[in-house]
Amino acid sequence: MNIYLDNAATTPLDPEVFEAMKPFLIENFGNPSSTHAHGRKVRSAIESSRKKAAELLNCTPGEIIFTSGGTEADNTLIMSTVHTYGIKHVISSPIEHHAVLHTIENLEKAGVIENHHVLLDPDGHVDLGHLEKLLKQYPGALVSLMHANNELGNILDLNTVGEMCKQANAFFHSDTVQTVGHYRHNMKELFVCGMTAAAHKFHGPKGIGFMYIRKDKKINPFVHGGAQERNMRGGTENVYGIVGLVKALEIAYREMDEHEKYISGLKSRMIEKLKADVPGVSFHGDSANLKRSLYTVLNVSLPESEENDMILFNLDLQGISASGGSACSSGATTGSHVLGALYPGSKRGAVRFSFSKYNKPEEIDFVVEKLAELVNSKVSS
Ligand SMILES: Cc1ncc(COP(=O)(O)O)c(C=O)c1O
């Protein structure tokens, strides 16, 4: 058995995406900044990709800037917004991805900003009442709150938070790396100043992503160099990556309703089977709530035991790839700052299963069966 349930870490490339990329790896090799025919050909591929991405997100092509992935996009939006607008206060949460958390920590260490963490409710959702208070206390702050948490799947209501930020004249950055390609963002309706995407989370290639920057919230570049990306990000463009990214986004949009239904079905199947077969199982965050969590992510909480601490290792031995990390760091797993923030001191086992269009119901059944065996072997011994 070889089962891949770690699609929040990365997804397999769609063969249709690979076909679209191929000509840009071999025959169409020009540098897009060159003005001759070889250059013009690839320049036009970049610009038509940008136009297509903008159409899908309902924004203008000038608002899409290609980057090397989610990490660079998050770094750019945070660093450049703070520097361009002289921002002194950032409002974020302790369960942001490290691409956001560490960037903010660095700015704070350098004495550039003060960071204020918003309170979370027991399920890991942002306490909107507390956010309101912080917005009043620090007008004009940069707010950085992720759309879907990569470990829990918890979803933030972007419309509501966007409106709150608009009223408070705050800059709203949202790390949307886990939702672009799985959720339709309508940038004309959302008040988001900057958001981020990584192609490898929706069956595109690794090492390519983009940031959306609202046209009335322009920022200075973070990566300095040539005039590429409308002077917003220096460096020769990753042309085959850009073509692959946008092809993957097109496929994702084309098939989104069908896939959402199918993948939600896999997630519900796993929840029900786990509840029936694994004693003491529960779910971290709001992961099992299909209305308030991303359909691709399920974070399972297992009773405390030495075996459950080694659960990822044991699943791997059975040919099952998943990920996790409990609140406390020990054994074969490294600690998770997300679970650590929500469940301080908890020694329960944690496994994040994340699904894609390529997973099959039989795989879910097999994984639950193995997980039940691993957990029950401890209970009966
Ligand atoms: C929520 C979130 N933000 C940012 C990133 C970083 O993206 P990349 O791997 O493209 O740098 C990831 C990837 O794990 C993620 O899940």
Side-chain angles (χ1 to χ4, degrees), residues 91 118 125-129 131-132 135 143-147 155-174 190-193:
I91 300 169
V118 69
H125 290 294
V126 166
D127 175 340
L128 294 179
L131 178 61
E132 185 84 62
L135 284 169
V143 175
S144 183
L145 293 170
M146 70 206 303
H147 188 193
I155 295 247
L156 179 80
D157 180 346
L158 280 188
N159 292 70
T160 302
V161 174
E163 272 314 305
M164 288 167 72
C165 290
K166 190 175 175 184
Q167 299 307 324
N169 202 22
F171 290 79
F172 181 28
H173 161 247
S174 186
L190 282 177
F191 180 81
V192 175
C193 306

Side-chain angles (χ1 to χ4, degrees), residues 44 72 74 77 110 156 180 211 214 226 235 237 252 278 345 366 380:
S44 109
E72 183 196 320
D74 281 330
L77 284 167
L156 179 80
V180 171
M211 51 189 172
R214 212 183 144 87
E237 298 89 336
V278 180
F366 180 81
S380 53

Side-chain angles (χ1 to χ4, degrees), residues 8-9 68-72 74 97 99-100 146 148-150 175-178 196-201 207-208 352:
S68 65
T71 302
E72 183 196 320
D74 281 330
H97 189 273
V100 168
M146 70 206 303
N149 186 279
N150 51 300
D175 176 336
T176 49
V177 168
Q178 288 293 339
T196 54
H200 71 109
K201 307 291 187 186
I208 185 74
R352 178 190 68 177

Side-chain angles (χ1 to χ4, degrees), residues 67-85:
T67 65
S68 65
T71 302
E72 183 196 320
D74 281 330
N75 270 260
T76 304
L77 284 167
I78 295 167
M79 300 285 283
S80 292
T81 304
V82 164
H83 290 309
T84 307
Y85 294 97

